[in-house]
Amino acid sequence: MAYDTDNIFARILRGEIPAKTIYEDDHALAFHDINPQAPIHVLVIPKGPYVSMDDFTANAPDALVTGFFRAVGHVARQLDLAEGGYRILANHGPDSHQEVPHLHIHIFGGRRLGPMLLKPEG
């Protein structure tokens, strides 16, 4: 899948759309999700045109990969989630329901989150 330079996260990175930013460095931008699914729901996106985790880990420079994942950890600690725990999630492709074609990590926390997936029927 080709990177869409007009996706909402690319536009946020360019400053065309506002976001409630909580952290930014040379590698990543973190901001509150506009439709939170937990008391704390933050998105962390890399600063670069990467569609998915597959694209990012295959094509991003090592310094960006390292810096991005350090930023995810930093944000979780900044939000005081490390002790009680948190969930991180990155969707890839249509079967996972990826809605925006720019790699993004969801950080969920602030309460017990329950099971990750529904159990299969049968």
Side-chain angles (χ1 to χ4, degrees), residues 42-71:
V42 170
L43 300 172
V44 186
I45 61 175
K47 290 189 172 179
Y50 302 99
V51 174
S52 64
M53 184 67 71
D54 184 61
D55 179 23
F56 184 67
T57 57
N59 298 307
D62 291 346
L64 181 57
V65 174
T66 300
F68 175 70
F69 281 104
R70 287 191 186 277

Tab-separated table of all heavy atoms in Angstrom, residues 42-71:
chain	number	residue	atom	x	y	z
A	42	VAL	N	-3.974	7.383	24.172
A	42	VAL	CA	-3.046	8.258	23.474
A	42	VAL	C	-2.533	7.550	22.230
A	42	VAL	O	-2.377	6.326	22.218
A	42	VAL	CB	-1.874	8.634	24.423
A	42	VAL	CG1	-0.753	9.333	23.699
A	42	VAL	CG2	-2.387	9.501	25.563
A	43	LEU	N	-2.274	8.310	21.182
A	43	LEU	CA	-1.666	7.790	19.965
A	43	LEU	C	-0.238	8.302	19.877
A	43	LEU	O	0.031	9.465	20.193
A	43	LEU	CB	-2.436	8.257	18.733
A	43	LEU	CG	-3.895	7.833	18.663
A	43	LEU	CD1	-4.586	8.513	17.499
A	43	LEU	CD2	-4.015	6.342	18.559
A	44	VAL	N	0.668	7.430	19.443
A	44	VAL	CA	2.050	7.826	19.180
A	44	VAL	C	2.335	7.482	17.726
A	44	VAL	O	2.117	6.342	17.303
A	44	VAL	CB	3.046	7.104	20.112
A	44	VAL	CG1	4.460	7.651	19.896
A	44	VAL	CG2	2.632	7.235	21.578
A	45	ILE	N	2.788	8.486	16.961
A	45	ILE	CA	3.055	8.277	15.537
A	45	ILE	C	4.511	8.640	15.234
A	45	ILE	O	5.054	9.565	15.829
A	45	ILE	CB	2.091	9.079	14.644
A	45	ILE	CG1	2.213	10.588	14.874
A	45	ILE	CG2	0.652	8.611	14.859
A	45	ILE	CD1	1.372	11.434	13.926
A	46	PRO	N	5.123	7.899	14.317
A	46	PRO	CA	6.485	8.261	13.926
A	46	PRO	C	6.470	9.456	12.983
A	46	PRO	O	5.492	9.697	12.273
A	46	PRO	CB	6.984	7.007	13.208
A	46	PRO	CG	5.760	6.398	12.633
A	46	PRO	CD	4.658	6.703	13.617
A	47	LYS	N	7.561	10.171	12.979
A	47	LYS	CA	7.724	11.295	12.060
A	47	LYS	C	8.339	10.777	10.766
A	47	LYS	O	9.547	10.787	10.588
A	47	LYS	CB	8.582	12.384	12.698
A	47	LYS	CG	7.870	13.091	13.824
A	47	LYS	CD	8.644	14.286	14.289
A	47	LYS	CE	7.834	15.101	15.267
A	47	LYS	NZ	8.606	16.255	15.743
A	48	GLY	N	7.483	10.299	9.918
A	48	GLY	CA	7.911	9.768	8.635
A	48	GLY	C	6.746	9.100	7.950
A	48	GLY	O	5.757	8.749	8.586
A	49	PRO	N	6.848	8.886	6.647
A	49	PRO	CA	5.739	8.346	5.852
A	49	PRO	C	5.685	6.818	5.870
A	49	PRO	O	6.031	6.156	4.889
A	49	PRO	CB	6.046	8.874	4.449
A	49	PRO	CG	7.547	8.923	4.407
A	49	PRO	CD	7.963	9.314	5.799
A	50	TYR	N	5.243	6.254	6.977
A	50	TYR	CA	5.191	4.796	7.127
A	50	TYR	C	3.750	4.361	7.320
A	50	TYR	O	3.076	4.804	8.247
A	50	TYR	CB	6.079	4.347	8.288
A	50	TYR	CG	7.501	4.792	8.071
A	50	TYR	CD1	7.998	5.924	8.692
A	50	TYR	CD2	8.326	4.118	7.174
A	50	TYR	CE1	9.293	6.364	8.454
A	50	TYR	CE2	9.619	4.550	6.923
A	50	TYR	CZ	10.095	5.677	7.565
A	50	TYR	OH	11.374	6.122	7.322
A	51	VAL	N	3.284	3.481	6.462
A	51	VAL	CA	1.897	3.041	6.458
A	51	VAL	C	1.577	2.159	7.661
A	51	VAL	O	0.509	2.279	8.255
A	51	VAL	CB	1.576	2.278	5.148
A	51	VAL	CG1	0.186	1.677	5.182
A	51	VAL	CG2	1.749	3.194	3.952
A	52	SER	N	2.502	1.281	8.031
A	52	SER	CA	2.199	0.254	9.024
A	52	SER	C	3.469	-0.164	9.755
A	52	SER	O	4.582	0.247	9.392
A	52	SER	CB	1.611	-0.970	8.315
A	52	SER	OG	2.600	-1.516	7.447
A	53	MET	N	3.295	-1.043	10.736
A	53	MET	CA	4.441	-1.596	11.445
A	53	MET	C	5.341	-2.358	10.476
A	53	MET	O	6.570	-2.279	10.567
A	53	MET	CB	3.975	-2.520	12.575
A	53	MET	CG	5.092	-3.073	13.425
A	53	MET	SD	5.950	-1.818	14.409
A	53	MET	CE	4.691	-1.448	15.609
A	54	ASP	N	4.747	-3.078	9.544
A	54	ASP	CA	5.525	-3.825	8.556
A	54	ASP	C	6.397	-2.883	7.732
A	54	ASP	O	7.602	-3.098	7.579
A	54	ASP	CB	4.582	-4.625	7.654
A	54	ASP	CG	5.331	-5.491	6.671
A	54	ASP	OD1	6.088	-6.378	7.108
A	54	ASP	OD2	5.160	-5.263	5.459
A	55	ASP	N	5.801	-1.819	7.222
A	55	ASP	CA	6.519	-0.825	6.432
A	55	ASP	C	7.617	-0.164	7.276
A	55	ASP	O	8.765	-0.032	6.842
A	55	ASP	CB	5.510	0.212	5.925
A	55	ASP	CG	6.118	1.331	5.091
A	55	ASP	OD1	7.210	1.159	4.517
A	55	ASP	OD2	5.466	2.398	4.998
A	56	PHE	N	7.271	0.234	8.486
A	56	PHE	CA	8.198	0.938	9.365
A	56	PHE	C	9.415	0.087	9.712
A	56	PHE	O	10.556	0.528	9.574
A	56	PHE	CB	7.446	1.348	10.634
A	56	PHE	CG	8.240	2.167	11.611
A	56	PHE	CD1	8.652	3.452	11.301
A	56	PHE	CD2	8.531	1.667	12.866
A	56	PHE	CE1	9.360	4.218	12.217
A	56	PHE	CE2	9.230	2.419	13.788
A	56	PHE	CZ	9.652	3.703	13.459
A	57	THR	N	9.182	-1.146	10.144
A	57	THR	CA	10.309	-1.988	10.559
A	57	THR	C	11.151	-2.456	9.384
A	57	THR	O	12.321	-2.787	9.553
A	57	THR	CB	9.834	-3.192	11.399
A	57	THR	OG1	8.888	-3.959	10.645
A	57	THR	CG2	9.205	-2.730	12.708
A	58	ALA	N	10.588	-2.464	8.189
A	58	ALA	CA	11.348	-2.852	6.999
A	58	ALA	C	12.116	-1.687	6.384
A	58	ALA	O	13.180	-1.890	5.797
A	58	ALA	CB	10.412	-3.456	5.946
A	59	ASN	N	11.601	-0.462	6.543
A	59	ASN	CA	12.140	0.654	5.762
A	59	ASN	C	12.664	1.858	6.543
A	59	ASN	O	13.413	2.657	5.976
A	59	ASN	CB	11.070	1.131	4.773
A	59	ASN	CG	10.697	0.037	3.797
A	59	ASN	OD1	11.548	-0.549	3.149
A	59	ASN	ND2	9.405	-0.258	3.712
A	60	ALA	N	12.280	2.021	7.781
A	60	ALA	CA	12.738	3.190	8.543
A	60	ALA	C	14.189	3.010	8.973
A	60	ALA	O	14.626	1.888	9.236
A	60	ALA	CB	11.857	3.394	9.771
A	61	PRO	N	14.940	4.097	9.078
A	61	PRO	CA	16.314	4.006	9.577
A	61	PRO	C	16.326	3.534	11.035
A	61	PRO	O	15.391	3.801	11.792
A	61	PRO	CB	16.853	5.433	9.468
A	61	PRO	CG	15.795	6.267	8.859
A	61	PRO	CD	14.561	5.461	8.711
A	62	ASP	N	17.395	2.855	11.407
A	62	ASP	CA	17.501	2.301	12.762
A	62	ASP	C	17.280	3.354	13.842
A	62	ASP	O	16.623	3.088	14.853
A	62	ASP	CB	18.861	1.628	12.969
A	62	ASP	CG	19.011	0.356	12.149
A	62	ASP	OD1	18.004	-0.158	11.629
A	62	ASP	OD2	20.154	-0.128	12.044
A	63	ALA	N	17.818	4.545	13.648
A	63	ALA	CA	17.677	5.596	14.664
A	63	ALA	C	16.211	5.992	14.858
A	63	ALA	O	15.785	6.273	15.982
A	63	ALA	CB	18.505	6.823	14.283
A	64	LEU	N	15.428	5.998	13.787
A	64	LEU	CA	14.010	6.334	13.901
A	64	LEU	C	13.252	5.221	14.604
A	64	LEU	O	12.407	5.491	15.465
A	64	LEU	CB	13.402	6.617	12.524
A	64	LEU	CG	11.923	7.006	12.507
A	64	LEU	CD1	11.657	8.234	13.371
A	64	LEU	CD2	11.453	7.239	11.083
A	65	VAL	N	13.537	3.974	14.262
A	65	VAL	CA	12.866	2.851	14.923
A	65	VAL	C	13.151	2.897	16.427
A	65	VAL	O	12.237	2.826	17.253
A	65	VAL	CB	13.301	1.501	14.311
A	65	VAL	CG1	12.726	0.333	15.102
A	65	VAL	CG2	12.882	1.409	12.842
A	66	THR	N	14.408	3.041	16.790
A	66	THR	CA	14.787	3.095	18.204
A	66	THR	C	14.156	4.303	18.892
A	66	THR	O	13.551	4.172	19.963
A	66	THR	CB	16.320	3.163	18.346
A	66	THR	OG1	16.880	1.997	17.742
A	66	THR	CG2	16.746	3.238	19.798
A	67	GLY	N	14.266	5.463	18.284
A	67	GLY	CA	13.714	6.668	18.878
A	67	GLY	C	12.208	6.605	19.037
A	67	GLY	O	11.649	7.075	20.041
A	68	PHE	N	11.526	6.012	18.066
A	68	PHE	CA	10.072	5.898	18.133
A	68	PHE	C	9.658	5.014	19.307
A	68	PHE	O	8.791	5.390	20.103
A	68	PHE	CB	9.524	5.347	16.809
A	68	PHE	CG	8.046	5.094	16.835
A	68	PHE	CD1	7.153	6.145	16.877
A	68	PHE	CD2	7.549	3.809	16.819
A	68	PHE	CE1	5.782	5.924	16.912
A	68	PHE	CE2	6.189	3.564	16.847
A	68	PHE	CZ	5.303	4.621	16.888
A	69	PHE	N	10.280	3.846	19.429
A	69	PHE	CA	9.892	2.952	20.516
A	69	PHE	C	10.287	3.512	21.882
A	69	PHE	O	9.575	3.312	22.870
A	69	PHE	CB	10.414	1.535	20.288
A	69	PHE	CG	9.557	0.799	19.298
A	69	PHE	CD1	9.996	0.606	17.996
A	69	PHE	CD2	8.296	0.351	19.638
A	69	PHE	CE1	9.192	-0.036	17.067
A	69	PHE	CE2	7.483	-0.294	18.712
A	69	PHE	CZ	7.941	-0.491	17.426
A	70	ARG	N	11.373	4.240	21.949
A	70	ARG	CA	11.718	4.931	23.202
A	70	ARG	C	10.652	5.977	23.534
A	70	ARG	O	10.297	6.175	24.698
A	70	ARG	CB	13.092	5.562	23.121
A	70	ARG	CG	14.213	4.546	23.189
A	70	ARG	CD	15.561	5.237	23.375
A	70	ARG	NE	16.643	4.298	23.306
A	70	ARG	CZ	17.069	3.539	24.324
A	70	ARG	NH1	16.478	3.635	25.494
A	70	ARG	NH2	18.072	2.714	24.160
A	71	ALA	N	10.138	6.659	22.521
A	71	ALA	CA	9.082	7.654	22.739
A	71	ALA	C	7.812	6.994	23.276
A	71	ALA	O	7.168	7.551	24.178
A	71	ALA	CB	8.793	8.411	21.443
